[in-house]
């Protein structure tokens, strides 16, 4: 179905290629998982399949790419759109119209599909991804998972032979991600659709894929059956890491496969007791209520974060997590309740005043990027706060975030993971004592996450407080002292992370699901308990 021969591609105004001498084949009906570090070429490879590279992006391409026998460079995106459905990292960026049914029909109208056939195809696409009950809903009322499924439905309406998806679960809670993946598996198995899926959270996808292709610096570093390739990767899921450490063979990909091995594990030490830093809270939320258009979104929320403490805020898409962060920094005004920051009421203060004490990173990093270069983003923050712009400190900050080699690059030309780190550098340039992060690890590979966690641990040791909205339960298990679960605007669980995540099946990390009742959250917990 896909044949790539000696493909090398360089973006405009870049000195080094994004893809280097790639030769790669995908059979008709295969489900292929594409992995690799941020900036390794995953998104570029997917965009080569439908002609966006090079027809939209420009640049220099050498080699050959064919899909279903069609030469991509010769045919271009107009022809390839009938054969390759594409779902980008950000589903909101793909939406054109304001209602579900119209959004699916839009591509068909542009392709001059007759009305009778169009009606049939829209119905078919809605049914394939279980969106029929939502056909008349405005897009702004959809959850993240529903938006992802809508983007897939719009791509499927043209009945492509290949579906290419770029991190389709990056902003979904575990249950919504599972729903999307099961829909993809059904399309692959029932329709024989060829699926190419790029993803960082391999623990979600590994069991569904036939094959894993791992890119490194624009080259195919590993390619083969998932069970054989995963143990060789630096970004292996926790289950695979544990299997390697304890010598489990064959490598289990699911909790079910790992259960027989886990039954033989006998701990020799109890998990360490959870301890949260003490002290007067830097953030105190009391009885906060907020409504959108008369619909109560936050219902009497109580929350506190102490100096040196990391608190994870988890919940389903649409639970009110992002709304809570916006209320804290003053972007939204609660109808009742109080927010105190460092002992001072936030009511009556403007956003700029609050953000001198609070660093806020929204879900979409592009909202914060407006300068011409990455380094200028840091300088702009320092300038706005009247702080000195020391070149050595800016360079050190960018190096800590692994952005030193792109300091002079236009931020919006970077990958999603890199843009996330640029925005993180901008909001933390003033070193505020309270940081609010909304999905801060979205688009980040494992190595970048580990570097970020090390940076956060250093800040926590200095007394900085972190409130993290996240769907990445593995990250929450690694950093959070306490976890708060939000559901339909209400706090339904709160306490030490070890207690909350092990008692909440939807948000339990892989290790907690493998060893229920043991109090273990991470691979390090298991190995420590086994001495």
């Amino acid at each position: 179905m896909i044949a790539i021969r000696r493909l090398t591609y360089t973006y405009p105004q870049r000195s080094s290629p994004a893809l280097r001498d790639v030769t790669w084949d995908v059979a008709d009906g295969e489900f292929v998982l594409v992995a690799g570090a941020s900036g390794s070429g995953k998104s570029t490879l997917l965009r080569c399949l439908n002609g966006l590279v090079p027809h939209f992006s420009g640049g220099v391409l050498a080699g050959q790419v064919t899909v279903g026998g069609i030469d991509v460079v010769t045919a271009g995106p107009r022809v390839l759109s009938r054969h390759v459905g594409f779902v980008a990292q950000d589903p909101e960026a793909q939406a054109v119209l304001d209602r579900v049914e119209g959004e699916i029909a839009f591509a068909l109208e542009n392709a001059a599909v007759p009305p009778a056939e169009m009606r049939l195809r829209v119905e078919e696409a809605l049914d394939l991804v279980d969106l029929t009950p939502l056909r008349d809903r405005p897009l702004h009322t959809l959850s993240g998972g529903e938006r992802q499924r809508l983007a897939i439905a719009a791509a499927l309406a043209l009945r492509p032979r290949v579906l290419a998806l770029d991190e389709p679960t990056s902003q979904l809670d575990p249950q919504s991600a599972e729903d999307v993946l099961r829909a993809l598996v059904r399309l692959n198995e029932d329709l024989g659709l060829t699926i190419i899926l790029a993803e960082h959270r391999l623990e979600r996808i590994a069991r569904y894929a036939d094959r894993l292709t791992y890119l490194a610096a624009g080259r195919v570093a590993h390619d083969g059956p998932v069970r054989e390739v995963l143990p060789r990767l630096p970004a292996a899921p926790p289950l695979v890491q544990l299997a390697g450490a304890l010598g489990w063979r064959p490598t289990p990909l699911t909790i079910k496969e790992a259960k027989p091995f886990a039954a033989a594990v006998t701990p020799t030490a109890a998990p360490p007791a959870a301890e949260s830093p003490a002290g007067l809270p830097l953030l105190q939320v009391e009885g906060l209520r907020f409504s959108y258009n008369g619909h109560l979104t936050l219902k009497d929320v109580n929350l506190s974060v102490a100096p040196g403490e990391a608190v994870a805020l988890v919940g389903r898409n649409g639970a009110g997590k992002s709304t809570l962060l916006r209320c804290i920094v003053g972007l939204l005004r609660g109808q009742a309740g109080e927010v105190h920051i460092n002992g001072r009421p936030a009511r009556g203060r403007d956003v700029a005043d609050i953000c001198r004490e609070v660093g806020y990173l929204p879900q979409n990093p592009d909202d914060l990027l407006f300068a011409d270069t990455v380094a200028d983003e840091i300088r702009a923050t320092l300038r706005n706060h009247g702080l000195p712009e020391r070149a050595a400190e800016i360079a050190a900050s960018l190096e800590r975030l692994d952005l030193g080699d792109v300091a002079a690059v236009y931020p919006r030309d970077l990958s999603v993971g890199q843009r996330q780190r640029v925005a993180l550098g901008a909001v933390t340039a003033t070193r505020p004592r309270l940081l609010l992060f909304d999905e801060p690890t979205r688009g980040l590979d494992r190595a970048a996450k580990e570097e970020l966690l090390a940076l956060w641990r250093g800040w926590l040791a200095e007394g900085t407080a972190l409130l993290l909205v996240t769907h990445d339960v593995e990250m929450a298990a690694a950093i959070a002292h306490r976890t708060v679960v939000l559901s339909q605007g209400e706090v339904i669980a709160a306490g030490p992370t070890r207690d909350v995540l092990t008692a909440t099946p939807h948000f339990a990390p892989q290790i907690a699901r493998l060893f229920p009742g043991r109090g273990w959250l991470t691979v390090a917990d298991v190995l420590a308990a086994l001495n």
Side-chain angles (χ1 to χ4, degrees), residues 19-39:
L19 295 173
R20 304 166 186 261
D21 199 28
V22 172
T23 294
W24 190 58
D25 291 312
V26 178
D28 189 11
E30 262 196 300
F31 191 143
V32 181
L33 171 59
V34 179
S38 296

Side-chain angles (χ1 to χ4, degrees), residues 424-498:
L424 178 63
V427 301
T428 59
T430 60
R431 296 301 305 275
R433 294 190 64 207
L434 174 62
L435 297 173
L436 312 180
F437 294 153
D438 197 349
E439 288 295 338
T441 59
R442 175 188 171 199
L444 297 189
D445 59 80
R446 179 182 172 82
K449 271 190 213 176
E450 291 296 336
E451 291 171 4
L452 199 55
L453 288 172
L455 188 63
W456 288 350
R457 290 186 183 108
W459 291 347
L460 290 169
E462 296 169 3
T464 300
L466 305 180
L467 177 58
L468 312 166
V469 167
T470 185
H471 294 308
D472 188 344
V473 293
E474 304 294 346
M475 187 271 289
I479 191 70
H481 298 94
R482 289 189 297 119
T483 294
V484 175
V485 182
L486 208 61
S487 176
Q488 297 181 329
E490 294 183 88
V491 174
I492 61 169
T497 295
R498 195 177 301 280

